[in-house]
Amino acid sequence: MMTAEIAQWVQQAGPVVASGVSAYGVAVLTRTQDAAADATVNLGRRILQTVWQRGDEEGRGELERVVAEAAGAEDAASASDELGRFLGRALRDDPELRAQLSAMLPVPAAGTVNVTASGERAVAAQHIGTVITGDGHTS
């Protein structure tokens, strides 16, 4: 069972972890920092690498499988959910890891909303009417 603290962390970290996987696939676990890479992608990469480095052989294998599935998934939401479940288990089972990863995430100011959009033609907004992306739209 996931505690509220872990669930909140997973919800906050999910988008950055997913953006790292989206950008690098399984290579996110071993990729060195690229100075030109986006800060959100780098944070996701650092989170996953930290979890991977602390894991035993079985945990690393499971993380690699989850990341590979997420990287190949056509549905970003289900990929993010699977990553979130894995991270939630890792955090629940390792309080030191939980503290280390919590320190990586910025503390949002009261009333602040963080929105992340990642990928070609991605859109992120807090309040929005209609957004249309894609080729050949005529209306």
Side-chain angles (χ1 to χ4, degrees):
M1 179 168 201
M2 214 182 291
T3 68
E5 177 187 357
I6 292 172
Q8 181 180 4
W9 185 91
V10 168
Q11 183 179 14
Q12 187 179 0
V16 298
V17 170
S19 68
V21 170
S22 176
Y24 300 124
V26 178
V28 72
L29 299 173
T30 56
R31 184 175 174 85
T32 59
Q33 186 165 346
D34 180 354
D38 177 75
T40 300
V41 171
N42 275 329
L43 178 57
R45 179 190 49 78
R46 286 183 24 237
I47 287 169
L48 288 170
Q49 284 181 343
T50 300
V51 173
W52 189 72
Q53 290 166 355
R54 287 187 60 97
D56 58 13
E57 188 173 325
E58 183 179 332
R60 285 182 177 187
E62 183 181 0
L63 179 56
E64 289 173 5
R65 179 191 58 75
V66 169
V67 168
E69 288 176 7
E74 292 181 22
D75 178 12
S78 64
S80 182
D81 288 348
E82 180 69 20
L83 283 165
R85 282 190 292 278
F86 178 88
L87 291 170
R89 285 190 309 273
L91 292 171
R92 182 189 63 226
D93 296 340
D94 190 342
E96 290 178 21
L97 178 62
R98 185 168 54 242
Q100 187 177 5
L101 294 180
S102 292
M104 289 181 172
L105 291 178
V107 178
T112 299
V113 175
N114 292 317
V115 181
T116 302
S118 178
E120 185 176 328
R121 298 183 182 148
V123 176
Q126 181 178 2
H127 301 286
I128 197 154
T130 302
V131 174
I132 299 171
T133 64
D135 295 332
H137 180 69
T138 58
S139 38

